[in-house]
């Protein structure tokens, strides 16, 4: 039987109360939301917090809304809510495409957007999605909030810039026009972590690529991004040859490791193939939006 | 710590260790062993119960996190001695062999049908995709849920109406 080590439990009543509890209990306390990453790690003693602070009552962090410039996603938004959100998917269908292949419906009822990002698993699909969308995250602590680009949020496997007395509270995605986005993933079985996953976002301006975002998960890309491939695409016409070259660049600028999910060359092959598919579909959607 | 939750309409209050998982609270503290405990890793789904109407894997929820919540287990599916249409479907279509995955399968099926009364086979398969049948009897499980959809009494308790899905 797997059970966590002894813990103390606190249930936060508000965001300010959660931050106060984090400050009071110090670095050995952990926020728990969906718990579908933290509890399994606690059972295996890979995580041994002394105190867990439950933020499931923080309805104030459960929202998806858009203003004229940004989409704002609260940290307590469940995977199922993001998957089914009309407003999020109207702007970025990549959300539904990625969420459909994250875990299973029951897990998606519990897991949260904020928890997924803070867990910082190297195979986390939402990390690749938000990298492709060039999102920012809002981190809140005793001294107020700070906004950090997703490209400097992760500092290593399972590590982020969130300090022990801080909490990720929101993800911000800039809105664009003539934009298309798509997600591609290959996994061993339904609901598993990806062998490789690719998210793409393309903005077209007069038939040329004016902005490109490519997010990679599970293949050890720096900050889940294929920066070199993004730069290559800028200002180009999205021809089959250009897409193929960008996909090749993406597959060369990551560091997949051989493991039980497959050898390195297979993972690079997947990155190339999935980047091609995701870019093609993102471009098609951007064209549709432009007409 | 003291926790108190409603399980199948009855208030259950106990003094527990904060690390106690919901599945063990239900089985050992409340004595309701219809909820099964399987993989411990949130993969197999036999421990699924409804929490405030939404299916959750109770091996991956602390009992403390369910404090004040409303839990429905497989024992809560029948109403006044009458089996739920999902339970009847599993009987009619032989939706179980060893029965180990059955409680979780049936609660997920109840949630699916409350939110989508006429699911396609693909939607049924997607709904139960977080649950593993060790006997690999998925064909009959899908048939059982389809049977339930076709034989809803209309007077069912609709535990989960309007939530999630």
């Amino acid at each position: 039987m797997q059970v966590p080590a002894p813990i103390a439990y606190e249930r936060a009543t508000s965001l300010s109360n959660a931050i106060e509890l984090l400050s009071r209990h110090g670095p050995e306390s952990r926020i728990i939301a969906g718990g579908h990453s933290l509890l399994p790690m606690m059972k295996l003693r890979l995580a041994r917090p002394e105190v867990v602070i439950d933020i499931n009552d923080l309805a104030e962090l459960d929202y998806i809304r858009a203003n004229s410039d940004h989409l704002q996603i609260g940290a307590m938004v469940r995977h199922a809510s993001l998957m089914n959100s009309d407003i999020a998917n109207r702007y970025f269908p990549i959300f539904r495409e990625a969420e459909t292949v994250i875990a299973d419906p029951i897990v998606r009822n519990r897991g949260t957007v904020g928890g997924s990002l803070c867990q910082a698993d190297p195979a986390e699909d939402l990390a690749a999605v938000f990298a492709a969308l060039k999102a920012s995250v809002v981190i809140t602590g005793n001294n107020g909030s700070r906004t950090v680009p997703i490209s400097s949020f992760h500092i290593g496997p399972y590590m982020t810039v969130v300090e022990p007395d801080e909490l990720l509270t929101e993800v911000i995605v800039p809105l664009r026009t003539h934009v298309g986005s798509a997600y591609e993933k290959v996994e061993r079985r339904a609901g598993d972590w990806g062998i490789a996953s690719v998210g793409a976002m393309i903005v077209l301006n007069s038939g040329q690529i004016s902005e490109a975002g490519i997010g990679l998960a599970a293949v050890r890309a720096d900050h889940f991004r294929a920066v070199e491939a993004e730069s290559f695409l800028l200002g180009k016409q999205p021809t089959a040859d250009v897409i193929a070259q960008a996909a090749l660049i993406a597959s060369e600028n990551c560091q997949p490791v051989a493991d039980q999910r497959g050898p390195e060359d297979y993972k690079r092959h997947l990155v190339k193939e999935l980047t091609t598919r995701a870019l093609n579909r993102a471009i098609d959607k951007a064209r549709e939006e432009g007409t | 710590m003291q926790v108190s939750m409603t399980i199948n309409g009855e208030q259950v209050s106990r003094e527990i260790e904060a690390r106690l998982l919901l599945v063990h609270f239900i089985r050992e503290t409340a004595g309701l062993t219809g909820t099964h405990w399987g993989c411990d890793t949130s993969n197999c789904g036999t421990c699924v119960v409804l929490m405030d109407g939404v299916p959750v894997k109770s091996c991956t929820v602390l009992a403390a996190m369910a404090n004040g919540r409303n839990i429905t287990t497989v024992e809560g599916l029948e109403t006044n001695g009458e089996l739920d249409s999902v339970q009847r479907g599993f009987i009619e279509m032989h939706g179980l062999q060893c029965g180990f995955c059955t409680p979780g399968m049936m609660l997920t099926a109840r949630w699916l049908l409350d939110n989508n009364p006429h699911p396609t086979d693909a939607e049924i398969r997607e709904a139960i995709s977080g649950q593993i049948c060790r006997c690999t009897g998925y064909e009959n499980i899908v048939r059982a849920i389809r049977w339930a959809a076709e034989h809803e009494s209309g007077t069912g308790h609709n535990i989960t109406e309007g939530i999630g899905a």
Side-chain angles (χ1 to χ4, degrees), chain A residues 88-262:
Chain A
N89 286 286
R90 188 191 321 146
Y91 291 111
F92 300 109
I94 189 173
F95 286 125
R96 183 168 292 137
E97 292 185 10
E99 286 292 358
T100 304
V101 290
I102 293 176
D104 62 61
I106 314 292
V107 171
R108 291 196 295 264
N109 283 339
R110 289 295 289 170
T112 62
V113 169
S116 296
L117 289 178
C118 289
Q119 174 68 14
D121 191 291
E124 175 54 50
D125 291 292
L126 284 188
V129 168
F130 287 120
L133 298 178
K134 299 176 189 172
S136 299
V137 298
V138 179
I139 299 168
T140 306
N142 276 315
N143 301 319
S145 293
R146 59 193 177 112
T147 304
V148 177
I150 194 81
S151 57
S152 47
F153 175 72
H154 298 96
I155 51 178
Y158 308 101
M159 288 187 288
T160 73
V161 298
V162 179
E163 297 289 341
D165 59 351
E166 290 182 319
L167 188 63
L168 189 157
T169 45
E170 184 179 271
V171 187
I172 302 173
V173 184
L175 298 180
R176 289 94 164 172
T177 49
H178 310 305
V179 60
S181 60
Y183 200 72
E184 293 281 345
K185 174 177 176 176
V186 169
E187 71 261 55
R188 293 180 301 180
R189 57 183 169 83
D192 198 4
W193 295 103
I195 303 170
S197 309
V198 179
M201 177 202 64
I202 290 290
V203 180
L204 289 179
N205 204 328
S206 307
Q208 289 189 334
I209 296 169
S210 60
E211 190 184 355
I214 300 174
L216 308 179
V219 290
R220 293 209 309 167
D222 282 348
H223 299 290
F224 296 89
R225 255 179 95 182
V227 180
E228 299 82 359
E230 291 173 1
S231 306
F232 172 81
L233 287 168
L234 280 186
K236 294 201 170 61
Q237 306 267 358
T239 64
D241 184 52
V242 163
I243 291 164
Q245 286 189 60
L248 181 66
I249 293 169
S251 72
E252 288 168 344
N253 285 279
C254 53
Q255 293 81 41
V257 288
D259 60 13
Q260 77 277 17
R261 288 185 169 83

Side-chain angles (χ1 to χ4, degrees), chain B residues 74-94:
Chain B
V74 66
E75 291 93 340
L77 272 178
E78 64 167 55
T79 322
N80 302 325
E82 186 121 339
L83 292 181
D84 188 272
S85 58
V86 169
Q87 292 172 303
R88 290 190 288 130
F90 273 71
I91 294 169
E92 293 295 330
M93 302 313 288
H94 198 82

